[in-house]
Amino acid sequence: MPRRAIGGIPPVSREQVRGISNAANALSHLLWLFQRQEPEVVELVEARGSQGFPHYLTSRLGVLPEERWAAAVYIAPESLIQHLLPRCRELDPPAYLEASLDAAGRALRRLHPALPPAGLRELAEAAAPEGDLPSAWASLPRSGNPHQDAIRDAMVLREERAEGHYQAAREKGLDPLQLLVLTALWRRQPQDSIGRNFKWSQEAIEVAAASLAERGWVGTEGELTALGIAVREEIERATDQLAERPLMAVPEPRRGPLLAQLSGLASV
């Protein structure tokens, strides 16, 4: 159902919100090595011996005190974070974060030599993050390097959307693992990917799936019921609505051109 304008401001469409998300995700993944292997970042992790989760955690969470890491990660077991903290601590998180942003910025400059569009910074500055991690990224000083700062701005937007997603799930009474199981079923992905990607035990995954079945969200064959699909789609809609706030701060005539600029970043 189309949303109505509020206070005379035209509503933001789901496609526009997803356009921002696509650009922010593309740039964020330059930093992490999970979905792509950019040589600048590969060189960093090989030099520091930080392959795998130590790089992902420290490059993402180095803006936070370590006692807040487990809560900020949200979708991985706290035991995994605690197990990896000593290695992450050895990397010197603030310095490692700076080195990671430098490497990702150089990768972006190679892939997208032109200056990043000003609209990315405008959206990041219009964000009003509420969670620890997006707030920490928003408070991170800019380096003055436009490509490196584009990664920083993308992380603000990416983490703000992630926090909104977790908030929407909590409002449905879901804990992190239940959200992962519900999402895997909704996307028709094998549940063993949850253990592989997020290091949850198979026993814990089965308990989470059983709890969803007790609510009537998962059927006898392990499929999502109509109610389960409706709940997961409500979470997605709520996530989009929370993520639209930066674009709502942009005057309507400028939204189209701004999103057109960002589309080039989504394809790097």
Side-chain angles (χ1 to χ4, degrees):
M1 178 181 297
R3 300 179 63 217
R4 295 180 178 178
I6 300 175
I9 301 174
V12 174
S13 72
R14 190 171 191 178
E15 291 72 23
Q16 289 175 321
V17 174
R18 292 299 174 85
I20 296 172
S21 177
N22 290 341
N25 282 340
L27 268 60
S28 298
H29 283 293
L30 292 176
L31 190 66
W32 294 336
L33 291 181
F34 271 176
Q35 293 189 2
R36 53 198 303 166
Q37 303 283 314
E38 301 303 334
E40 295 85 353
V41 185
V42 170
E43 180 182 12
L44 170 66
V45 300
E46 289 180 347
R48 302 292 182 91
S50 52
Q51 291 90 339
F53 271 102
H55 168 74
Y56 170 72
L57 292 174
T58 312
S59 64
R60 183 183 173 203
L61 302 170
V63 289
L64 289 174
E66 65 179 45
E67 63 269 16
R68 287 152 61 188
W69 281 24
V73 172
Y74 189 77
I75 53 176
E78 183 175 355
S79 58
L80 174 66
I81 311 305
Q82 297 303 328
H83 173 72
L84 292 171
L85 263 178
R87 176 63 188 120
C88 295
R89 191 182 298 130
E90 290 173 357
L91 294 171
D92 185 2
Y96 190 85
L97 172 68
E98 184 177 349
S100 299
L101 282 169
D102 172 73
R106 287 186 283 112
L108 177 60
R109 186 172 64 245
R110 171 175 51 81
L111 295 164
H112 191 280
L115 289 177
L120 181 65
R121 175 171 180 165
E122 183 177 0
L123 290 171
E125 291 182 341
E130 298 174 358
D132 272 359
L133 191 52
S135 297
W137 274 98
S139 66
L140 185 70
R142 296 178 182 279
S143 69
N145 179 307
H147 288 86
Q148 181 172 325
D149 288 341
I151 303 295
R152 177 257 189 213
D153 291 336
M155 286 295 296
V156 172
L157 296 170
R158 190 269 173 198
E159 296 299 348
E160 182 181 37
R161 180 181 176 85
E163 179 63 29
H165 188 61
Y166 304 151
Q167 177 182 326
R170 286 191 289 263
E171 289 175 356
K172 294 294 184 183
L174 291 167
D175 65 27
L177 184 50
Q178 290 169 332
L179 173 61
L180 288 174
V181 172
L182 183 67
T183 297
L185 292 171
W186 184 62
R187 292 177 175 169
R188 300 181 184 274
Q189 295 173 337
Q191 289 189 23
D192 60 8
S193 65
I194 298 171
R196 186 169 60 252
N197 294 332
F198 302 103
K199 307 306 179 185
W200 290 94
S201 71
Q202 185 59 37
E203 180 182 4
I205 293 169
E206 291 172 359
V207 169
S211 71
L212 297 179
E214 290 174 0
R215 301 188 195 188
W217 297 357
V218 175
T220 56
E221 300 299 321
E223 79 289 357
L224 279 189
T225 63
L227 179 57
I229 292 171
V231 168
R232 184 56 182 81
E233 290 182 349
E234 286 173 13
I235 291 172
E236 202 69 9
R237 283 192 294 272
T239 302
D240 285 339
Q241 289 175 13
L242 290 167
E244 73 183 16
R245 292 176 293 188
L247 194 55
M248 286 290 288
V250 176
E252 195 276 336
R254 291 180 42 225
R255 292 178 192 167
L258 185 153
L259 290 165
Q261 293 175 352
L262 293 188
S263 66
L265 295 178
S267 60
V268 295

